[in-house]
Amino acid sequence: MKKIVCALLIVCFAFSLVACGGGNKQPDLPAGYVRYSYNKLSFAYPEGWTQTSNAPLIIQDANTGNNFTVVVEPKVAFYDTMTAESYYNAYAPQFAAMGMTISNVTLKRETTNGLSVIRVSLTNQMQGITMQQTQFIVAVGEEHYTVSVTQVTQVPGLVENVFKTLYVPQ
């Protein structure tokens, strides 16, 4: 009898772990934001912004010039040990090829909604316009997703709202 009760308790415990989804709960949306899923990654952006490209994904606000870009690439080891300096050395030439200069590069490793996220913040300039860019780099399966938020006009809470809503639906 004890073995049967023990087996039932183990089964109930196993079902309770599965039922909770392992803690990967979909984050709440901030007021004025909509959820967007791109391949395996979900995030939120402000209502009223328009998708202007699909590959890479670009979502823009025509009023401010602010935008999101999402790039998916095969997973690479470079991100595992990347520093602000190695980011600058690797990407400054690519920005320069597009007529931009970058400065003030910072890098932090953070966690949100069960995801390990690399946050790269930088300032870029192009044709006399200064922009703040924040990139969230997330490994999902065998791919890296880079969600870039570029702000010409600062929007309070934008970067943090995107960060808090990064999520991998199950």
Side-chain angles (χ1 to χ4, degrees):
M1 183 67 174
K2 287 181 184 179
K3 288 181 182 179
I4 293 172
V5 171
C6 185
L8 286 173
L9 286 172
I10 290 171
V11 169
C12 289
F13 180 69
F15 279 122
S16 70
L17 287 176
V18 172
C20 76
N24 195 15
K25 179 183 161 287
Q26 184 172 353
D28 294 332
L29 282 176
Y33 281 70
V34 294
R35 189 173 317 285
Y36 192 91
S37 291
Y38 190 70
N39 293 348
K40 299 174 188 169
L41 186 67
S42 175
F43 60 92
Y45 65 88
E47 292 174 343
W49 289 35
T50 306
Q51 182 176 337
T52 59
S53 173
N54 202 21
L57 175 68
I58 299 174
I59 301 171
Q60 292 182 311
D61 178 6
N63 297 320
T64 63
N66 295 345
N67 69 71
F68 285 78
T69 305
V70 181
V71 176
V72 182
E73 60 188 345
K75 195 172 184 181
V76 293
F78 173 73
Y79 294 123
D80 295 340
T81 58
M82 184 173 67
T83 64
E85 182 180 358
S86 65
Y87 177 94
Y88 179 85
N89 291 336
Y91 290 102
Q94 293 179 27
F95 277 88
M98 296 182 288
M100 297 182 216
T101 59
I102 64 173
S103 60
N104 305 320
V105 177
T106 62
L107 185 141
K108 290 194 293 187
R109 296 178 188 281
E110 303 174 287
T111 303
T112 186
N113 302 313
L115 295 174
S116 294
V117 179
I118 302 168
R119 181 191 300 228
V120 179
S121 299
L122 58 99
T123 302
N124 68 44
Q125 290 197 342
M126 183 171 96
Q127 298 176 349
I129 299 172
T130 300
M131 298 167 269
Q132 298 301 313
Q133 186 174 81
T134 303
Q135 299 178 351
F136 299 109
I137 303 166
V138 181
V140 180
E142 293 302 312
E143 299 170 317
H144 272 115
Y145 287 73
T146 302
V147 178
S148 298
V149 181
T150 303
Q151 297 185 80
V152 177
T153 304
Q154 294 297 304
V155 176
L158 176 63
V159 170
E160 286 310 307
N161 284 334
V162 173
F163 175 72
K164 289 189 266 185
T165 60
L166 289 169
Y167 167 71
V168 176
Q170 297 298 335

